[in-house]
Amino acid sequence: MGHPAARATGNRLGSGGLIDRKQPLRFSFDGSTYHGYAGDTLASALLGNGVKLFGRSFKYHRPRGLLTAGSEEPNALVELRRGPWREPNSRATTVELFDGLDAQSQNRWPSLKFDIGAVNSLFSPLFAAGFYYKTFMWPASFWEKVYEPAIRRAAGLGRASGEADPDHYEKMHAFCDLLVIGGGPAGLAAALSAARSGARVILCDEDYVLGGRLIGDAREIDGCPGSIWAKHTAAALEAMPNVRVLRRTTVFGVYDGSTFGAVERVADHVPEPPPHQPRQRLWKIVARRSVLASGAIERHIVFGGNDRPGVIMASAARTYLNRFAVIPGSRAAVFANCDDAWTTALDLARSGVRVEAILDTRTDTNPLLASKAERAGIPLFPNAQVIDTRGSHALKAITIRSADGRARDLAVDLLAVSGGWNPNLGLTTHLGSRPNWSDRLAAFVPGKAPTGMTVVGAARGSYGLADGLREGMAAGIAAAEAGGFAARREPAPKADDDHTGIKPFWHVTASSSKAFVDFQNDVTSEDVALAAREGFKSVELLKRYTTLGMATDQGKTSNVNGHAMMAEFTGRPMSEVGTTMFRPPYTPVAIAAFAGHHRGRQFRPTRLTAGHRWAEQQGASFVEAGQWLRAQWFARPGESDRLTTVSREVRETRAKVGVCDVSTLGKIDIQGADAGAFLDRIYANMFSTVPVGKVRYGLMLREDGIVMDDGTSARFADDHFVMSTTTANAGKVMQHLEHARQVLWPELDVQLVSVTEQWAQYSIAGPSSRALLERLLGEAFDVSDAVLPYLGCAEFTWRGVSARIFRVSFSGEFAYELAVPANFGDAAIRAIMEAGAEFGIIPYGTEALGVMRIEKGHVAGNELNGMTTAADLGLGRMMSKKKDFIGRVLAERSGLVDPERPSLVGIQPVDRAGRLRAGAHVLACGADATMENDQGYVTSVAFSPMLGHWVGLGFVKRGPARIGERARAYDPVRGGDIEVEIVSPIFFDPEGKRLHG
Amino acid sequence: MRIPCPYCGERDLSEFVYNGDPVPRPDPAAADAPRRFYEAVYLRDNPAGPHQELWYHANGCRGWLRVDRDTRTHDVLGAAFAGT
């Protein structure tokens, strides 16, 4: 392409690059204002302004600059934005510049240039490999009080904002015939050849410009600049209705069943998301086939001072030059073991940078490249190495050792390094496949790819451009044909020549100063050597011992160097040493993207009953019951606390009449000739004998003999029951019944459907409940004992609507439950209140309901806690001896019929003014509070307004036999310790007279 | 993971609830019923390879499925209604 050397501003070329010079952008870094252009990254814009110092390293606080120009960047991590929008550990190399961008360096104090933490370098033994583990051998307190706080202060990455994320995130699901991961030449070719057949194609690329290396390199395809070819191909794809091109989208994970996770950065590149747009979007993509065209990541060489700002990957130098028109230095040298980096020297020279040397570790270099370099006037040093670098905050000079063994200094401010390329194969390992070492390529290449995935181009080690294009096309056509589409075979585009020669070279042994393997974790060559000496020779142990390959970059630029050095130190071949596996995510993904809209109140659905609005209008306070909101109590003006309100609701219900919304209880409609026989197997007690028009209380067990749920079932016809379940277990019971129906006894003629949401149901309880219903229903239904006795049920038509009535009671009062279709629930509760006005009706909430059931000794969720048997609940008699049912056999196990088991009792304080606490443990009077002395526990407590003191239910060893005994209720959590009496669980109306009016 | 529900078609894992092995309910009238039930409820093989298991299509047709899955690869080899 050829760039004129004329410089417009700073380090910026006057023309060329994929930036828009007509769109200058203002931004700030550490409080200073700079200018860049649309198309820049934060990294390229800062480099264009001559900024080379980007951050401080993790442990030693060494000054660090850009190493790369991509998402593999280990050094240039910055904090973006302010306040709740602050986003730490953003890679400056991937941050798309926008006007007003506010960025700060991190892990430095008081400033990036002068960082106190840099003294850590003097204490580097403190941070050497394995220090943490060795320190644990000292007294724990020494670690906790001295070392850990010191290390936590000194070492670190960015700071989280600590505030709620104010932006929106959303989730999308997509399906396609072909997912192409990576929009470089191979990926574009694959997408285009598959899309032309009509197949549904999704192409994802993490960058905001498609083209991969084509936009960083000065290449040609069909005689046209590579970046232009990429632009035209992308435009052609976007014009097709069967193609979705997702820019700024990272495929971060491969999951079972050809499912992929991707995150799209919808609005990270603008000051704030446009209206109705999320900040980021999480994609779950199901693809018949996939093509992995993720390219390769250049690796560095380990030598003394290789982390100094100004030492940069050779390919990154080209990217800054060609894509961003930024001159990354004025006097450069190239240090490499491969042909590819020579292109960097040639590109730099062509742009007017003085290239002082190409230092190649190989003796035999590529003659064609050598002649090009000579023509460009670049001095060549075969069989040479860089031993050290100098410069405080930026590179000033390098020390080289040439083939003759002599060391000398070169004054340069840019050193472009390449140790070759690693296929970017992370996604091939997510389902457990291990990469294989290739001696020919001096790199790990993908092992068996996940089902349906084809790896093409540099990602499988085919570094040549022509090879990548050809492989991409072939994979696209194969994917289309596998999906049943007829694909045309077009000639592959013609590419210019590649030079891919390499001879492995990992580290400069002659260096004596700190030589970094992993920049992000400050792992040095000495740490790897120490791990080898101490026997941590497996790559997995090396990783844990030294932290090599951990943190946000997951070793993308460091792993293979570290593993190769371990191979050298232990005299093993690379194929034997192997490499660590990658797990999702490929690059860090914000938790907010995974959460999407499922945050706060949107974490799960909120279910409201048909009478919810009415309850709100009555001033109800609501409580969550599973997903439901239920009215907890209805405070009246002047009632200062909930106890006053709840006690009033109980007293007035028991004295007159009260109404409670019980719509949230699960309702399952059960029909079929075998419905009765089915319920006999589900419930511990008998149901096939329930007459039509009657309700029976039932108890169901799990197959292990423990109680699962309780509730009533009403028989409306021989072949029709309606079951009620507890609110909490409605879904679980439905699943249990479906299991029994479909898996255990498919031969039974029975059908189930959940009708919980189809019916609004109100409990009308209290001595005036019958008078109220007479008034309310009038001619529609006769609620006399003759028609509807205790435990009767009926269906009837009321005001043109089908209604159901059940004579059941949880409160112990004379009571009914009235059910209407949910659409009429609001009208029904208003009608009930109107009809009840003359009887003094009050609405009561779940709290009063809870008090009344405790007064009556009725068990509920606190007692059906997954550990109790029917006998524990005092309901052992319900276990039928005449039939089999789920849980019968195992309920007879000796451990479950042990008479010593804690079983249900009532508990009340001896001093009636005392306060009981649920959760308290029951001990014998005078016994020490030890596990051995534990006699049981209190499950439910309430202040009984009818008795005027606290009452509770609980489980006590041999409970029923101990009624009348005294014991100790010990509650260490809340400091409760009172003397109690063990009594019958039925505190109020023990004869049950009130049920019958 | 994707499960091919015979009623709904291939669906995402998140629609299903796992419920262990499809062990037949033992004969409650057998002389050694307690032992048989104990084994059916508590004892499970843990094979490396093809394995049958029950999945409930809770957010779908409510069908109980018997799914063949390779525990080493998570490849789903097939699915059928459990009662058939």
Side-chain angles (χ1 to χ4, degrees):
Chain A
M1 283 168 38
H3 296 294
R7 294 180 192 184
T9 51
N11 301 321
R12 197 73 78 149
L13 292 169
S15 66
L18 305 180
I19 52 165
D20 184 354
R21 290 176 175 77
K22 291 196 192 72
Q23 272 198 70
L25 304 174
R26 230 162 78 110
F27 69 100
S28 76
F29 179 60
D30 279 349
S32 301
T33 300
Y34 299 96
H35 289 85
Y37 297 106
D40 262 327
T41 61
L42 175 62
S44 69
L46 283 170
L47 198 59
N49 283 279
V51 175
K52 292 196 169 173
L53 180 60
F54 277 70
R56 290 278 174 167
S57 72
F58 184 66
K59 288 196 295 195
Y60 303 126
H61 289 247
R62 286 171 64 107
R64 288 282 168 81
L66 297 167
L67 183 70
T68 74
S71 64
E72 68 272 28
E73 175 63 30
N75 285 341
L77 304 185
V78 296
E79 288 174 355
L80 300 181
R81 307 175 202 244
R82 301 269 176 176
W85 283 274
R86 189 169 72 202
E87 193 180 346
N89 307 329
S90 303
R91 297 170 299 277
T93 49
T94 62
V95 174
E96 196 173 343
L97 197 66
F98 58 83
D99 202 53
L101 175 66
D102 181 1
Q104 291 105 52
S105 57
Q106 53 190 40
N107 196 30
R108 84 288 187 267
W109 187 84
S111 76
L112 187 53
K113 281 241 164 72
F114 179 75
D115 175 15
I116 294 279
V119 299
N120 281 1
S121 284
L122 304 178
F123 302 109
S124 57
L126 201 67
F127 295 96
F131 172 77
Y132 284 28
Y133 307 108
K134 289 167 187 167
T135 308
F136 276 120
M137 291 154 69
W138 301 348
S141 61
F142 197 66
W143 167 260
E144 283 165 17
K145 292 192 179 113
V146 182
Y147 279 97
E148 186 174 326
I151 289 171
R152 283 206 187 280
R153 257 200 312 280
L157 294 167
R159 307 160 300 159
S161 79
E163 293 177 61
D165 189 328
D167 289 324
H168 293 282
Y169 297 79
E170 70 177 23
K171 296 181 187 181
M172 283 282 281
H173 294 251
F175 300 82
C176 60
D177 298 303
L178 175 63
L179 171 67
V180 180
I181 302 159
L188 287 170
L192 190 64
S193 47
R196 279 176 177 154
S197 76
R200 294 169 306 162
V201 175
I202 296 177
L203 170 66
C204 297
D205 193 280
E206 61 180 353
D207 206 331
Y208 50 94
V209 180
L210 293 181
R213 283 309 307 165
L214 291 178
I215 54 177
D217 286 348
R219 299 298 303 265
E220 282 189 1
I221 296 176
D222 285 342
C224 157
S227 62
I228 303 290
W229 181 87
K231 191 176 168 183
H232 290 165
T233 308
L237 285 168
E238 281 179 318
M240 295 186 195
N242 54 325
V243 178
R244 192 195 281 275
V245 177
L246 293 172
R247 291 183 171 80
R248 305 182 176 94
T249 303
T250 305
V251 176
F252 60 76
V254 182
Y255 302 92
D256 296 315
S258 221
T259 305
F260 298 80
V263 65
E264 181 186 5
R265 290 167 291 275
V266 180
D268 278 2
H269 63 294
V270 289
E272 55 187 78
H276 315 299
Q277 285 294 313
R279 175 79 180 273
Q280 296 181 353
R281 183 179 289 133
L282 191 81
W283 288 83
K284 190 168 185 177
I285 301 171
V286 178
R288 277 181 211 281
R289 300 286 291 263
S290 60
V291 165
L292 181 66
S294 48
I297 292 174
E298 198 169 27
R299 61 194 181 214
H300 63 91
I301 295 174
V302 180
F303 58 93
N306 62 342
D307 65 329
R308 208 167 302 284
V311 180
I312 189 170
M313 302 313 308
S315 60
R318 292 207 295 279
T319 297
Y320 288 114
L321 193 62
N322 294 320
R323 176 176 177 180
F324 301 107
V326 168
I327 305 274
S330 54
R331 289 159 69 97
V334 171
F335 178 34
N337 65 346
C338 58
D339 293 352
D340 187 62
W342 289 55
T343 319
T344 302
L346 297 171
D347 284 3
L348 286 168
R350 197 166 55 234
S351 301
V353 176
R354 201 165 135 193
V355 182
E356 300 283 356
I358 295 177
L359 304 142
D360 199 312
T361 57
R362 298 173 296 178
T363 311
D364 300 318
T365 53
N366 182 326
L368 183 68
L369 288 171
S371 71
K372 281 189 183 179
E374 269 166 30
R375 277 204 302 282
I378 304 172
L380 304 181
F381 295 83
N383 192 13
Q385 296 177 2
V386 176
I387 295 169
D388 205 355
T389 69
R390 284 203 307 283
S392 59
H393 291 133
L395 183 68
K396 289 204 168 63
I398 57 174
T399 305
I400 65 168
R401 193 167 71 178
S402 45
D404 55 14
R406 280 207 317 232
R408 63 166 156 142
D409 285 1
L410 277 181
V412 294
D413 61 357
L414 174 69
L415 178 62
V417 181
S418 180
W421 291 80
N422 292 321
N424 187 10
L425 50 71
L427 293 182
T428 67
T429 73
H430 283 185
L431 297 183
S433 167
R434 285 196 175 275
N436 300 318
W437 178 255
S438 161
D439 277 325
R440 180 177 68 82
L441 296 167
F444 285 100
V445 292
K448 184 180 173 299
T451 308
M453 178 186 279
T454 308
V455 189
V456 297
R460 69 181 289 262
S462 300
Y463 296 130
L465 177 54
D467 293 340
L469 290 165
R470 201 178 53 247
E471 289 177 10
M473 285 188 72
I477 287 167
E481 287 175 347
F485 297 89
R488 273 183 310 180
R489 282 172 170 73
E490 312 242 345
K494 290 205 164 27
D496 56 359
D497 295 336
D498 295 291
H499 301 288
T500 56
I502 182 171
K503 187 170 181 227
F505 184 86
W506 307 104
H507 70 127
V508 175
T509 49
S511 291
S512 54
S513 57
K514 267 196 172 49
F516 287 85
V517 183
D518 183 329
F519 293 82
Q520 190 158 89
N521 293 295
D522 272 352
V523 177
T524 65
S525 58
E526 201 29 59
D527 291 323
V528 179
L530 183 69
R533 281 202 303 278
E534 297 190 345
F536 297 92
K537 294 174 183 175
S538 141
V539 289
E540 298 291 348
L541 292 177
L542 172 67
K543 175 175 180 172
R544 272 95 197 152
Y545 197 55
T546 64
T547 70
L548 170 73
M550 292 190 180
T552 72
D553 70 338
Q554 289 288 296
K556 290 185 178 65
T557 56
S558 62
N559 270 349
V560 176
N561 286 72
H563 300 159
M565 290 167 68
M566 180 56 82
E568 278 185 25
F569 293 148
T570 56
R572 292 176 297 168
M574 274 304 265
S575 55
E576 191 182 309
V577 170
T579 188
T580 50
M581 304 279 277
F582 297 94
R583 284 173 302 206
Y586 170 69
T587 48
V589 181
I591 296 291
F594 287 110
H597 286 299
H598 298 276
R599 292 173 21 174
R601 294 207 57 79
Q602 279 75 46
F603 181 68
R604 59 181 184 183
T606 301
R607 299 168 82 183
L608 304 179
T609 66
H612 185 82
R613 180 174 300 173
W614 169 83
E616 275 182 333
Q617 288 164 356
Q618 309 310 307
S621 299
F622 293 93
V623 62
E624 287 182 12
Q627 296 175 345
W628 292 98
L629 284 186
R630 298 190 69 182
Q632 197 172 11
W633 59 76
F634 296 80
R636 282 189 179 160
E639 288 177 344
S640 55
D641 58 51
R642 60 186 254 180
L643 189 59
T644 308
T645 301
V646 171
S647 295
R648 172 185 52 77
E649 289 175 9
V650 171
R651 275 195 306 267
E652 296 199 13
T653 298
R654 292 213 191 278
K656 295 181 242 171
V657 60
V659 61
C660 180
D661 188 345
V662 293
S663 306
T664 62
L665 272 76
K667 307 174 203 77
I668 300 172
D669 201 83
I670 302 166
Q671 299 195 31
D674 295 322
F678 178 73
L679 288 182
D680 279 347
R681 301 182 191 192
I682 295 296
Y683 282 122
N685 49 328
M686 192 74 90
F687 271 76
S688 54
T689 56
V690 174
V692 171
K694 290 290 267 184
V695 180
R696 186 167 286 174
Y697 173 74
L699 194 66
M700 66 177 76
L701 311 187
R702 308 188 308 222
E703 193 67 276
D704 66 359
I706 298 292
V707 174
M708 178 178 180
D709 200 54
D710 71 342
T712 58
S713 280
R715 192 167 207 172
F716 288 105
D718 277 339
D719 59 354
H720 184 201
F721 287 84
V722 175
M723 173 188 283
S724 77
T725 75
T726 60
T727 299
N729 285 337
K732 205 165 84 181
V733 170
M734 188 68 195
Q735 176 181 334
H736 178 69
L737 263 55
E738 287 287 12
H739 178 262
R741 184 183 77 83
Q742 296 180 37
V743 184
L744 300 183
W745 303 298
E747 69 280 7
L748 293 184
D749 174 8
V750 61
Q751 299 295 323
L752 311 168
V753 66
S754 166
V755 293
T756 304
E757 298 195 329
Q758 277 64 37
W759 292 88
Q761 196 154 323
Y762 298 98
S763 169
I764 299 158
S768 299
S769 56
R770 176 179 282 164
L772 185 158
L773 281 166
E774 283 168 352
R775 166 98 198 202
L776 179 70
L777 302 178
E779 298 294 303
F781 189 76
D782 175 4
V783 289
S784 69
D785 274 345
V787 177
L788 193 68
Y790 177 57
L791 292 178
C793 67
E795 287 181 293
F796 61 101
T797 302
W798 176 44
R799 300 184 187 178
V801 168
S802 61
R804 288 172 177 169
I805 192 162
F806 309 84
R807 176 103 178 261
V808 294
S809 174
F810 194 44
S811 58
E813 291 302 312
F814 188 93
Y816 298 85
E817 288 188 9
L818 179 65
V820 295
N823 284 356
F824 300 97
D826 181 78
I829 184 64
R830 291 176 199 274
I832 291 167
M833 290 302 290
E834 196 185 317
E838 66 179 277
F839 307 103
I841 191 171
I842 55 114
Y844 65 93
T846 56
E847 207 69 18
L849 185 69
V851 172
M852 289 191 277
R853 72 100 186 163
I854 294 169
E855 286 180 334
K856 287 298 297 176
H858 291 156
V859 293
N862 289 9
E863 288 75 39
L864 309 182
N865 58 12
M867 300 186 289
T868 47
T869 65
D872 296 345
L873 296 168
L875 302 172
R877 300 176 318 279
M878 290 181 70
M879 308 252 290
S880 173
K881 306 259 188 244
K882 297 177 184 159
K883 61 172 181 106
D884 184 49
F885 53 89
I886 292 175
R888 182 186 65 83
V889 173
L890 291 186
E892 291 165 5
R893 285 181 288 169
S894 56
L896 297 189
V897 297
D898 183 354
E900 287 290 307
R901 283 181 69 85
S903 44
L904 188 75
V905 292
I907 287 168
Q908 62 187 23
V910 171
D911 172 2
R912 296 288 192 261
R915 167 85 200 256
L916 281 178
R917 299 274 192 188
H921 278 256
V922 177
L923 302 165
C925 289
D928 290 337
T930 62
M931 281 302 291
E932 295 73 45
N933 291 338
D934 191 24
Q935 302 267 310
Y937 52 100
V938 181
T939 50
S940 301
V941 300
F943 178 81
S944 165
M946 307 315 291
L947 302 177
H949 60 80
W950 285 84
V951 296
L953 301 177
F955 296 97
V956 177
K957 281 184 184 173
R958 291 175 285 105
R962 295 171 60 180
I963 285 175
E965 279 185 25
R966 290 189 173 189
R968 175 184 173 195
Y970 175 66
D971 177 21
V973 177
R974 285 158 298 190
D977 191 359
I978 62 170
E979 201 182 2
V980 294
E981 280 174 21
I982 297 171
V983 295
S984 157
I986 308 171
F987 292 93
F988 181 70
D989 184 28
E991 300 84 17
K993 287 179 183 160
R994 302 176 68 90
L995 281 173
H996 305 283
Chain B
M1 212 164 87
R2 312 269 300 164
I3 293 177
C5 173
Y7 189 77
C8 306
E10 189 186 273
R11 294 301 180 94
D12 189 77
L13 176 70
S14 58
E15 295 184 7
F16 296 85
V17 174
Y18 174 73
N19 200 53
D21 298 6
V23 184
R25 190 167 188 267
D27 176 7
D32 58 348
R35 182 186 60 78
R36 291 191 193 192
F37 270 85
Y38 166 76
E39 289 177 0
V41 170
Y42 292 107
L43 300 187
R44 290 285 180 273
D45 290 334
N46 186 16
H51 181 231
Q52 282 205 333
E53 50 204 27
L54 284 177
W55 290 82
Y56 176 55
H57 200 180
N59 294 314
C61 63
R62 299 206 315 267
W64 275 92
L65 311 183
R66 193 173 48 239
V67 175
D68 289 288
R69 182 176 69 96
D70 191 318
T71 58
R72 296 164 303 182
T73 60
H74 300 311
D75 285 341
V76 175
L77 310 169
F81 286 123
T84 56

